[in-house]
Amino acid sequence: MTTRSCVPNPEMIASVQAALGRCVLLYQATEQVLKLFLPHVRATENAARQNLDVDWRELLDSKKTLGQLAGVLMERTSGSNREGLALWLQTVVSQRNDVVHHFYDQAFASLRTETEVEEALTYLQVRQAAASQLLSVIKTLAMITLTDDAV
């Protein structure tokens, strides 16, 4: 009978590494889409009409990360639920920072037991789901914005 305190096999360790990689790739993809799309975004229709010359490379070569780009998004958008949007973005940015900068600070990060592997996978799956959802929303907004600009 196998207990959860058993030493994990190499495939289990590899699954954590793969999940970690998926999270990082989702965060990087989101940053890239934001860098392409944000130069086209203005908070109001009036502001958009005043700024017809869009420098699409404005953010492309920048070193801005997800938190900074989320701040630019908040500055350039308006809506009825800005607090909800800000809270959601703050949550995903915080999760991103935890994954990128503090994963190995987590109690389970040593991956010495199957339980720690399972905890790491759960931790990463939650963050992957949130990152995937954000990327999907940002891609949709980008498609709408860039399609409208082209018309």
Side-chain angles (χ1 to χ4, degrees):
M1 185 173 171
T2 306
T3 64
R4 292 288 172 214
S5 62
C6 290
V7 174
N9 62 45
E11 291 81 20
M12 294 176 78
I13 302 293
S15 68
V16 173
Q17 293 167 333
L20 183 59
R22 282 190 295 275
C23 283
V24 171
L25 288 174
L26 284 167
Y27 296 131
Q28 288 179 350
T30 302
E31 290 172 359
Q32 288 303 309
V33 174
L34 281 167
K35 287 178 179 184
L36 286 170
F37 141 77
L38 282 173
H40 301 271
V41 176
R42 298 294 176 260
T44 65
E45 184 177 341
N46 198 22
R49 290 181 195 279
Q50 292 174 353
N51 192 3
L52 298 177
D53 284 334
V54 173
D55 178 9
W56 63 273
R57 294 196 62 87
E58 170 190 359
L59 296 168
L60 200 57
D61 297 327
S62 76
K63 298 292 183 190
K64 291 187 185 297
T65 59
L66 187 57
Q68 296 162 316
L69 294 167
V72 173
L73 179 63
M74 288 303 298
E75 290 170 6
R76 295 186 182 182
T77 56
S78 59
S80 59
N81 191 7
R82 287 181 54 76
E83 288 179 14
L85 175 61
L87 183 60
W88 181 50
L89 289 172
Q90 183 180 21
T91 298
V92 178
V93 167
S94 177
Q95 289 177 343
R96 177 248 182 228
N97 291 342
D98 285 345
V99 168
V100 172
H101 300 292
H102 303 291
F103 180 79
Y104 285 104
D105 296 338
Q106 304 300 320
F108 51 72
S110 67
L111 306 176
R112 284 189 225 140
T113 66
E114 288 181 4
T115 299
E116 288 179 350
V117 168
E118 290 171 4
E119 289 172 1
L121 286 171
T122 299
Y123 171 92
L124 291 167
Q125 287 165 351
V126 167
R127 282 143 186 82
Q128 181 181 336
S132 182
Q133 184 180 24
L134 177 58
L135 179 58
S136 178
V137 168
I138 296 300
K139 279 183 173 179
T140 300
L141 290 173
M143 296 280 257
I144 291 167
T145 301
L146 298 175
T147 301
D148 285 350
D149 278 356
V151 173

